[in-house]
Amino acid sequence: MELLNSFFTSFYGKKILFSLGIIIILYIIRKINYIIVIEKIEDSKSKYYWNKTSNYLLILIGILSIGRLWFVGFQSISTFLGLFSAGLAISLREIITNFAGWLYIISKKPFVIGDRIEIGKFAGDVIDISVLNFTILEIGNWVNADQSTGRIIHIPNGIIFNQNLANYTKDFKFIWNEIPILITFDSNWKKAKGILLDIAKKHAEHLSKEAEEKLKKAAAKYMIYYKKLTPIVYTSVKDSGILLTIRYLCQPRKRRGSSHEIWEEILEEFSKHSDINFAYPTQTIHIEKN
């Protein structure tokens, strides 16, 4: 007992007690803050951001308080942080890179919570950003048309420095989608093209005005220039028939739904016209009789 008492009254013993005290106090504050956030804030996004920001602030206060306690000889916080960072640089290189990535993400905002992104081999909706990694709800992979697979993927923040990033929803908020329709050479392709254009306009032309407004804002930041934002049908010739390709704007999360609706209407309309037929690869075999 005397040994224990002498330890806690010693120089290092007091520091350990004070450090534990700081950790316990910050833990209690964190719990109280969490209860307040859950009960008082109704909006899910505000609740998430408030909880995250307060947690980061408490962690920073803890690091600085305990650091100053153990390194009293340092005259300024900046000196302490500089030496502390230098000491960790070799052994914790990955962690530091991920932390730097987090600083880049929260300051430059290449993406935010809710954005749909593709980075490296990963694609999905961002559902969390933390100090060392960000989390996405995966899309694509074995599922077609950018729909969710249900998998949650945690990606180190450091990837932002060495992989290309595509953001589906930032600034412009629309993507171009194309639907190829192949018809036979003996089909009335002009009639088919007119039908397809009417269908595309019905489903997508209302987005053109909204997209034009978004484009004006985005053009102030990026060199984005489109001559035509309304739906269009392109014509080309393939080995098996005439290819008519519908090109139209859609919201990234509605790509599959819009394709589904357009295809159903195409099937219904083409079935009413005997002079329009879908093409498919065929082979003709000639058998010579001796």
Side-chain angles (χ1 to χ4, degrees):
M1 183 63 72
E2 282 184 21
L3 186 63
L4 195 61
N5 287 335
S6 63
F7 173 75
F8 284 120
T9 53
S10 68
F11 177 74
Y12 289 109
K14 286 179 181 177
K15 285 181 179 291
I16 291 171
L17 280 176
F18 278 121
S19 299
L20 287 172
I22 291 168
I23 292 168
I24 290 167
I25 290 167
L26 291 176
Y27 179 77
I28 291 169
I29 293 172
R30 182 177 176 275
K31 284 293 180 185
I32 293 169
N33 174 67
Y34 182 76
I35 292 167
I36 292 170
V37 166
I38 293 297
E39 290 183 354
K40 301 294 182 185
I41 302 177
E42 294 182 2
D43 179 58
S44 299
K45 190 172 277 190
S46 302
K47 189 183 293 187
Y48 170 84
Y49 279 117
W50 176 263
N51 194 41
K52 279 286 178 183
T53 306
S54 56
N55 283 345
Y56 293 149
L57 186 60
L58 288 173
I59 290 168
L60 182 61
I61 291 170
I63 290 172
L64 295 179
S65 303
I66 294 171
R68 291 287 286 174
L69 180 66
W70 283 88
F71 299 93
V72 223
F74 296 146
Q75 296 303 311
S76 68
I77 292 176
S78 58
T79 306
F80 162 67
L81 288 176
L83 292 171
F84 182 72
S85 301
L88 291 178
I90 298 173
S91 55
L92 301 177
R93 188 168 55 108
E94 291 297 323
I95 292 177
I96 292 169
T97 303
N98 291 332
F99 181 73
W102 172 71
L103 291 176
Y104 178 83
I105 291 166
I106 62 169
S107 60
K108 294 295 184 181
K109 294 187 175 7
F111 57 81
V112 296
I113 302 294
D115 278 356
R116 175 162 289 189
I117 65 167
E118 183 176 344
I119 185 164
K121 60 180 182 178
F122 306 108
D125 297 320
V126 181
I127 57 174
D128 185 37
I129 301 171
S130 64
V131 177
L132 297 181
N133 59 56
F134 60 92
T135 306
I136 64 170
L137 184 61
E138 185 189 40
I139 61 168
N141 207 330
W142 65 84
V143 176
N144 291 325
D146 297 340
Q147 286 200 305
S148 173
T149 64
R151 295 199 308 181
I152 290 175
I153 301 177
H154 304 282
I155 304 170
N157 291 332
I159 197 175
I160 198 79
F161 296 125
N162 52 45
Q163 293 289 339
N164 294 327
L165 169 70
N167 193 321
Y168 289 58
T169 48
K170 189 178 176 66
D171 296 324
F172 186 45
K173 299 184 185 299
F174 292 94
I175 59 171
W176 289 100
N177 191 36
E178 293 191 352
I179 301 177
I181 299 100
L182 190 65
I183 59 174
T184 58
F185 285 113
D186 57 355
S187 293
N188 187 338
W189 66 271
K190 288 185 178 179
K191 183 199 284 189
K193 186 171 182 176
I195 292 169
L196 294 177
L197 189 56
D198 289 342
I199 292 171
K201 284 180 178 178
K202 175 183 171 183
H203 288 272
E205 194 167 35
H206 66 283
L207 295 174
S208 302
K209 191 168 182 60
E210 186 184 348
E212 194 174 336
E213 294 301 316
K214 297 285 184 187
L215 186 61
K216 285 177 185 175
K217 292 179 183 177
K221 189 175 180 182
Y222 306 107
M223 183 56 75
I224 302 176
Y225 178 73
Y226 287 120
K227 285 185 178 179
K228 191 176 178 68
L229 293 175
T230 51
I232 191 169
V233 179
Y234 289 104
T235 309
S236 59
V237 175
K238 299 295 179 183
D239 292 339
S240 304
I242 300 168
L243 183 65
L244 302 174
T245 304
I246 299 175
R247 178 176 168 84
Y248 66 98
L249 282 171
C250 71
Q251 294 169 338
R253 291 183 177 86
K254 295 183 178 179
R255 181 173 161 234
R256 188 170 199 174
S258 66
S259 295
H260 161 77
E261 290 172 2
I262 288 171
W263 261 117
E264 284 201 341
E265 194 156 347
I266 290 170
L267 293 171
E268 285 178 10
E269 288 300 316
F270 277 15
S271 66
K272 299 172 185 176
H273 302 274
S274 57
D275 56 347
I276 300 175
N277 297 296
F278 289 106
Y280 50 88
T282 58
Q283 277 188 330
T284 305
I285 301 174
H286 296 279
I287 302 173
E288 292 185 4
K289 295 182 179 180
N290 292 330

